[in-house]
Amino acid sequence: MKRLLCAGSVLVLFAAAARAEADLYPDRRRSQYQKDSGYALFPYFYDLPGIGNGYGLFGAATNVGDTYTDLIGTFFLGDVDGEAVGVNSLHLVDKRLILDFGGAHLSKATLQTYAKRGMETGKDDYVLAEVGDTSFGGARLTATFLDRRVEGFVGWYGGTSVFEAVRDKDGNLILKAENAPREYIQTAILGGRLDFTDDYMDPRRGVRLETSIWRAPKMNSGPDYFYVDSSFTGYIPLGKRSTWAVNLFKSDANVIQKGETDRAIIADEQGLDCSTISDPLEKQECESFIDNIVAENNYGTATALGGFVRLRSYPEGRFKGAHTQFIGNEIRWNLTEESTPFDIFIMKDIRTAVQFAFFYEIGSVADKESDLWEISRKSYGAGVRVVTGSGLIY
């Protein structure tokens, strides 16, 4: 599989170079800073595997007050209750220094925790970790130059939560945590991007490279580690308006100091005594939850696969490990290319493109790099994208 990955990568690079030979450094096809204002306000329903279902209200105001700044907010009720707000593209120095920040609070939430890290588990091999009173937020500062072709960024993200219980996949209580302490997490990021495409928001041709270092300092009994993400995306034009996007991505965790690996100590810290469970299956599920913490404290955790970005056919964070590799293909077929204002009561903006998107992806994760691609997972699907003049993509 590794040879196939290398061969596929080489073919993609040759294809991209061949198509872009006459236009290796394409001009931007429009201004990279738009001030078209818009808004959106609409209800929605959510149904997320392992998290639950419910409803909420989403609102956004874009390019507020003749600036580049967007204001976004939502609240939601159901199996997960909470609210979130964000501020995007706040220009501290016009077209040079841009700040994004936001935060969220969840009164309760449940997260899927699979029996093993890596790729071996089946879709039902998980328990639900129930947490309460969760808050998190962060900020990212971006320095940008040469019409957004060269960027550097720093950021910080952190949060706090209280672990409450372990439940089976159907939501039935396995074991309630006793006097579990409040847990804190934080991550700092440093990275950069080179963007040799024809558009920052909706590229049709060119290449984009990005790398970042994520530093996760030791918190509580966890490990002290960092992970490095590297991404290459080539945009190969198909006809005059459509494009084939190919993404190669890898992420690797590097442990500076291991965390606690004594299962008894970890169980005590989490407030879990699996030995009190009489049902053999539930006892095994409880112990698997602790085993995952031991593995994370040993190896660290790289960027996971699954969710809205990579391996989109799977739940968020479905596959975790210390090493990740991924290949993604997406054909974006542009049905229209226009500049048409629209106002449909719940949404006002300028429609610049409507696209069908077809994707096929494959990836692998493992705690040991030598085990990558022994097992892999595929993902494919289709969707619709609407690109707006204000800078939002629906």
Coordinates of all heavy atoms in Angstrom, one line a residue, residues 351-387:
R351 N -24.6 35.4 -4.8 CA -24.2 34.1 -5.3 C -23.1 34.2 -6.4 O -23.4 34.9 -7.4 CB -25.4 33.3 -5.8 CG -25.0 31.9 -6.1 CD -26.3 31.1 -6.5 NE -26.9 31.6 -7.7 CZ -28.1 32.2 -7.8 NH1 -28.8 32.3 -6.6 NH2 -28.6 32.6 -8.9
T352 N -22.0 33.6 -6.2 CA -20.9 33.7 -7.2 C -20.7 32.4 -7.9 O -20.2 32.4 -9.0 CB -19.6 34.2 -6.6 OG1 -19.2 33.3 -5.7 CG2 -19.8 35.6 -6.0
A353 N -21.1 31.3 -7.3 CA -20.9 30.0 -8.0 C -21.8 28.9 -7.2 O -21.9 29.0 -6.0 CB -19.5 29.5 -7.9
V354 N -22.3 28.0 -8.0 CA -23.0 26.8 -7.5 C -22.3 25.6 -8.0 O -22.1 25.5 -9.3 CB -24.5 26.8 -7.9 CG1 -25.2 25.5 -7.4 CG2 -25.2 28.0 -7.4
Q355 N -21.9 24.7 -7.2 CA -21.0 23.6 -7.6 C -21.6 22.3 -7.0 O -22.1 22.2 -5.9 CB -19.6 23.8 -7.0 CG -19.0 25.1 -7.4 CD -17.7 25.3 -6.5 OE1 -17.5 24.7 -5.5 NE2 -16.8 26.2 -7.0
F356 N -21.5 21.2 -7.9 CA -21.6 19.9 -7.4 C -20.2 19.4 -7.0 O -19.3 19.7 -7.7 CB -22.2 18.9 -8.5 CG -23.7 19.0 -8.6 CD1 -24.3 19.1 -9.8 CD2 -24.5 18.9 -7.4 CE1 -25.7 19.1 -9.9 CE2 -25.9 19.0 -7.5 CZ -26.5 19.1 -8.7
A357 N -20.1 18.7 -5.9 CA -18.8 18.2 -5.4 C -18.9 16.7 -5.3 O -19.8 16.2 -4.6 CB -18.4 18.8 -4.1
F358 N -18.0 15.9 -5.9 CA -17.9 14.5 -5.8 C -16.6 14.1 -5.2 O -15.5 14.6 -5.7 CB -18.1 13.8 -7.2 CG -19.3 14.3 -7.9 CD1 -19.3 15.4 -8.8 CD2 -20.5 13.6 -7.7 CE1 -20.4 15.8 -9.5 CE2 -21.7 14.0 -8.4 CZ -21.6 15.1 -9.3
F359 N -16.6 13.4 -4.1 CA -15.3 13.1 -3.5 C -15.0 11.6 -3.3 O -16.0 10.8 -3.1 CB -15.1 13.8 -2.1 CG -16.1 13.4 -1.1 CD1 -15.8 12.3 -0.2 CD2 -17.3 14.0 -0.9 CE1 -16.7 11.9 0.8 CE2 -18.2 13.6 0.1 CZ -17.9 12.6 0.9
Y360 N -13.8 11.2 -3.3 CA -13.3 9.9 -3.0 C -12.0 10.0 -2.2 O -11.1 10.7 -2.6 CB -13.1 9.0 -4.3 CG -12.6 7.6 -4.0 CD1 -13.5 6.6 -3.8 CD2 -11.2 7.3 -3.9 CE1 -13.1 5.3 -3.5 CE2 -10.8 6.0 -3.6 CZ -11.8 5.0 -3.4 OH -11.4 3.7 -3.2
E361 N -12.0 9.3 -1.0 CA -10.9 9.5 -0.1 C -10.4 8.2 0.5 O -11.2 7.2 0.5 CB -11.3 10.4 1.1 CG -12.0 11.7 0.7 CD -12.7 12.4 1.8 OE1 -13.3 11.6 2.7 OE2 -12.8 13.6 1.8
I362 N -9.1 8.1 0.9 CA -8.6 6.9 1.5 C -7.6 7.4 2.5 O -6.9 8.4 2.3 CB -8.0 6.0 0.5 CG1 -7.5 4.7 1.2 CG2 -6.8 6.6 -0.3 CD1 -7.1 3.6 0.2
G363 N -7.5 6.7 3.7 CA -6.6 7.1 4.7 C -6.3 6.0 5.7 O -7.0 4.9 5.7
S364 N -5.3 6.2 6.5 CA -4.8 5.2 7.5 C -4.3 5.9 8.7 O -3.6 7.0 8.6 CB -3.8 4.3 6.9 OG -3.4 3.3 7.8
V365 N -4.5 5.4 9.9 CA -3.9 5.9 11.1 C -3.3 4.7 11.9 O -3.7 3.6 11.7 CB -4.9 6.7 12.0 CG1 -5.5 7.8 11.3 CG2 -5.9 5.7 12.6
A366 N -2.3 4.9 12.7 CA -1.6 3.9 13.5 C -0.8 4.6 14.6 O -0.4 5.7 14.4 CB -0.8 3.0 12.7
D367 N -0.6 3.9 15.7 CA 0.3 4.4 16.7 C 1.7 4.2 16.4 O 2.6 5.0 16.8 CB 0.0 3.7 18.1 CG -1.2 4.3 18.8 OD1 -1.5 5.5 18.6 OD2 -1.9 3.6 19.5
K368 N 2.1 3.2 15.6 CA 3.4 3.0 15.1 C 3.4 3.3 13.6 O 2.6 2.8 12.8 CB 3.9 1.6 15.3 CG 4.0 1.3 16.8 CD 4.5 -0.2 17.1 CE 4.6 -0.5 18.6 NZ 5.1 -1.9 18.8
E369 N 4.4 4.1 13.1 CA 4.4 4.5 11.7 C 4.5 3.4 10.8 O 4.0 3.4 9.7 CB 5.5 5.6 11.5 CG 5.5 6.2 10.2 CD 6.4 7.4 10.1 OE1 7.3 7.5 11.0 OE2 6.4 8.2 9.1
S370 N 5.3 2.3 11.2 CA 5.5 1.1 10.4 C 4.2 0.4 10.1 O 4.1 -0.4 9.2 CB 6.5 0.2 11.0 OG 6.0 -0.2 12.3
D371 N 3.1 0.6 10.9 CA 1.8 -0.1 10.8 C 0.9 0.7 9.8 O -0.2 0.2 9.6 CB 1.2 -0.3 12.1 CG 1.9 -1.2 13.0 OD1 2.7 -2.1 12.5 OD2 1.8 -1.1 14.3
L372 N 1.3 1.9 9.4 CA 0.4 2.6 8.5 C 0.1 1.8 7.2 O 1.0 1.2 6.7 CB 1.0 4.0 8.1 CG 0.9 5.1 9.2 CD1 1.8 6.3 8.8 CD2 -0.5 5.5 9.4
W373 N -1.1 1.9 6.7 CA -1.6 1.2 5.5 C -1.7 -0.3 5.6 O -2.1 -0.9 4.6 CB -0.7 1.6 4.3 CG -0.8 3.1 4.0 CD1 0.3 4.0 4.3 CD2 -1.9 3.9 3.5 NE1 -0.1 5.3 4.0 CE2 -1.4 5.2 3.5 CE3 -3.2 3.6 3.1 CZ2 -2.3 6.2 3.1 CZ3 -4.0 4.6 2.7 CH2 -3.5 5.9 2.7
E374 N -1.4 -0.9 6.8 CA -1.8 -2.3 6.9 C -3.3 -2.4 6.9 O -3.8 -3.4 6.4 CB -1.2 -2.8 8.2 CG 0.3 -3.0 8.2 CD 0.8 -3.7 9.5 OE1 -0.1 -4.1 10.3 OE2 2.0 -3.9 9.6
I375 N -4.0 -1.4 7.4 CA -5.4 -1.3 7.3 C -5.8 0.1 6.9 O -5.2 1.1 7.4 CB -6.2 -1.6 8.6 CG1 -5.8 -3.0 9.1 CG2 -7.7 -1.5 8.5 CD1 -6.4 -3.4 10.5
S376 N -6.6 0.3 5.9 CA -7.0 1.6 5.5 C -8.6 1.6 5.3 O -9.2 0.6 5.3 CB -6.4 2.0 4.2 OG -6.7 1.1 3.1
R377 N -9.1 2.8 5.3 CA -10.5 3.0 5.1 C -10.8 4.0 3.9 O -10.0 4.9 3.7 CB -11.2 3.6 6.3 CG -11.0 2.8 7.6 CD -11.9 1.5 7.6 NE -11.7 0.8 8.9 CZ -12.5 -0.2 9.2 NH1 -13.4 -0.7 8.4 NH2 -12.3 -0.9 10.3
K378 N -11.9 3.8 3.2 CA -12.3 4.6 2.1 C -13.5 5.4 2.4 O -14.3 5.0 3.3 CB -12.5 3.7 0.8 CG -11.3 2.9 0.4 CD -11.6 2.0 -0.7 CE -10.4 1.1 -1.1 NZ -10.7 0.2 -2.2
S379 N -13.7 6.5 1.7 CA -14.9 7.3 1.9 C -15.2 8.0 0.6 O -14.3 8.4 -0.2 CB -14.5 8.4 2.9 OG -15.5 9.4 3.0
Y380 N -16.5 8.0 0.3 CA -16.9 8.7 -1.0 C -18.3 9.3 -0.8 O -19.1 8.8 0.1 CB -16.9 7.7 -2.2 CG -17.7 6.5 -2.0 CD1 -19.0 6.4 -2.3 CD2 -17.1 5.3 -1.5 CE1 -19.8 5.3 -2.2 CE2 -17.8 4.1 -1.3 CZ -19.1 4.1 -1.7 OH -19.9 3.0 -1.5
G381 N -18.6 10.2 -1.6 CA -19.9 10.9 -1.5 C -20.1 12.1 -2.5 O -19.2 12.3 -3.3
A382 N -21.1 12.8 -2.3 CA -21.4 14.0 -3.1 C -22.1 15.0 -2.3 O -22.7 14.7 -1.3 CB -22.2 13.6 -4.4
G383 N -22.0 16.3 -2.8 CA -22.7 17.4 -2.2 C -22.9 18.6 -3.1 O -22.5 18.5 -4.2
V384 N -23.4 19.6 -2.5 CA -23.6 20.9 -3.3 C -22.9 22.0 -2.5 O -23.1 22.1 -1.3 CB -25.1 21.2 -3.5 CG1 -25.3 22.5 -4.2 CG2 -25.8 20.1 -4.2
R385 N -22.2 22.8 -3.2 CA -21.5 24.0 -2.6 C -22.1 25.3 -3.2 O -22.2 25.3 -4.5 CB -20.0 23.9 -2.8 CG -19.4 22.7 -2.3 CD -17.9 22.6 -2.7 NE -17.0 23.3 -1.8 CZ -16.3 24.3 -2.2 NH1 -16.3 24.7 -3.4 NH2 -15.5 24.9 -1.3
V386 N -22.4 26.3 -2.4 CA -22.7 27.6 -2.9 C -21.7 28.6 -2.4 O -21.5 28.7 -1.2 CB -24.1 28.0 -2.4 CG1 -24.5 29.4 -2.9 CG2 -25.2 27.0 -2.9
V387 N -21.0 29.2 -3.3 CA -19.9 30.2 -2.9 C -20.6 31.6 -3.0 O -21.2 31.9 -4.0 CB -18.7 30.1 -3.9 CG1 -17.6 31.1 -3.5 CG2 -18.2 28.7 -3.9

